[in-house]
Amino acid sequence: LEGSMTNADIVLIKVRLVEKGLPENELLTDAFEWGLAGVYYYDSPEVPQDYGKALKFFLKAAQQGHVLAMVMAGFMYANGMGTPVDHVAAAKWYLAAAEQNNPSAQFNLAEMYRIGRGVPQDYTKAEYWYAKAVEQDHMAARRNLGIMYVVGEGVEMDVEKALSLFSEGVAKKDALCQFYMGMTYVLEDTPVHDQIKGYVWRQTAMQNPDLPDREQTKVKEILVQLEKEMSSQELIKAGIELQKNGLSIN
């Protein structure tokens, strides 16, 4: 865990002292409680994994303002780790960390507002928290906010905003942003419609080794369909564009 104690032996000694009844307030700070939570969160020969104890100490650290502990408390409530699933509690801790500018918490909170889990569904707040995470280059937030703009999910459809978001991910060779760029360009009746660019970006994503397996079959099927719809001249132009990046039509 990022931010845990640097001296694992000291942490383990203090774990034993706590277990033997030494009052916690005599030795615990938010940093130590974070480290102690990490000891219980991960399984080891010295200390068996115990999510209930991990959550207890993450909460203690979170209550003292430890931002990463807030994130972990939200994560554990959201996933029922050491506690029954509690999306309301998860949203509470994600919000606390999001307000401290933690991008993971901002992304998770946006997801909750987008689908209405643990909080009332609110697309405006989802858009806001995605955008805050994007400011810190959170890639999944970039993708999801872009998709909201592409399909007009709770916001005004804006393909140019979507392309701007995806293009920053494309600059970092993100396979899913490449895929979504292609998806955006092939949309009919939009000011950015461009079948050739749509095909090129889908091919680029297909040839990116980081494209998730679950997307590969879908992309192959789309490419086959696009090839049926495109003229031979359009395919030649697409091939030329792909060659500029060392790729080819597969």
Side-chain angles (χ1 to χ4, degrees), residues 2-3 30-31 34 58-75 92-106 136:
E2 187 177 273
D30 64 336
W34 166 257
F58 279 136
L59 286 171
K60 285 179 175 291
Q63 288 159 1
Q64 295 184 60
H66 196 293
V67 177
L68 293 177
M70 296 174 189
V71 178
M72 286 304 301
F75 178 79
K92 168 191 168 182
W93 286 112
Y94 283 146
L95 175 60
E99 289 177 337
Q100 297 299 315
N101 215 29
N102 180 277
S104 294
Q106 290 167 343
Q136 300 186 73

Side-chain angles (χ1 to χ4, degrees), residues 25-72:
N25 59 10
E26 290 187 14
L27 53 78
L28 298 188
T29 64
D30 64 336
F32 172 64
E33 285 161 342
W34 166 257
L36 187 58
V39 169
Y40 285 119
Y41 186 81
Y42 293 109
D43 195 20
S44 72
E46 294 85 4
V47 181
Q49 188 176 57
D50 188 325
Y51 286 142
K53 288 183 178 179
L55 178 60
K56 170 186 173 182
F57 288 109
F58 279 136
L59 286 171
K60 285 179 175 291
Q63 288 159 1
Q64 295 184 60
H66 196 293
V67 177
L68 293 177
M70 296 174 189
V71 178
M72 286 304 301

Side-chain angles (χ1 to χ4, degrees), residues 14 24 37-38 54 74 77 80 97 105 118 130 134 141 148 153 164 169 179 188 191 200 216:
K14 289 185 176 181
E24 294 172 9
Y77 275 122
Y130 278 139
V134 169
M148 284 182 72
E153 183 185 354
S164 176
F179 173 74
E188 299 285 351
V200 167
Q216 290 182 10

Side-chain angles (χ1 to χ4, degrees), residues 166-174 177 201:
F166 297 146
S167 64
E168 293 180 34
V170 162
K172 299 185 177 182
K173 302 188 184 304
D174 182 75
C177 280
W201 282 115

Side-chain angles (χ1 to χ4, degrees), residues 75-94:
F75 178 79
M76 294 186 78
Y77 275 122
N79 292 278
M81 300 169 71
T83 178
V85 171
D86 187 338
H87 294 300
V88 173
K92 168 191 168 182
W93 286 112
Y94 283 146

Side-chain angles (χ1 to χ4, degrees), residues 107 110-111 114 126-134 141 144-145 148:
F107 170 76
E111 292 278 276
R114 184 180 178 185
E127 179 186 22
Y128 173 81
W129 286 114
Y130 278 139
K132 295 295 286 184
V134 169
N144 287 7
L145 182 57
M148 284 182 72

Side-chain angles (χ1 to χ4, degrees), residues 95-159:
L95 175 60
E99 289 177 337
Q100 297 299 315
N101 215 29
N102 180 277
S104 294
Q106 290 167 343
F107 170 76
N108 286 323
L109 186 60
E111 292 278 276
M112 299 183 87
Y113 275 120
R114 184 180 178 185
I115 63 177
R117 176 175 291 165
V119 291
Q121 188 174 48
D122 189 323
Y123 289 114
T124 299
K125 289 182 179 178
E127 179 186 22
Y128 173 81
W129 286 114
Y130 278 139
K132 295 295 286 184
V134 169
E135 288 175 7
Q136 300 186 73
D137 203 26
H138 193 288
M139 194 63 72
R142 183 182 305 286
R143 299 185 202 118
N144 287 7
L145 182 57
I147 291 170
M148 284 182 72
Y149 288 134
V150 168
V151 302
E153 183 185 354
V155 297
E156 185 176 351
M157 183 178 179
D158 192 329
V159 291

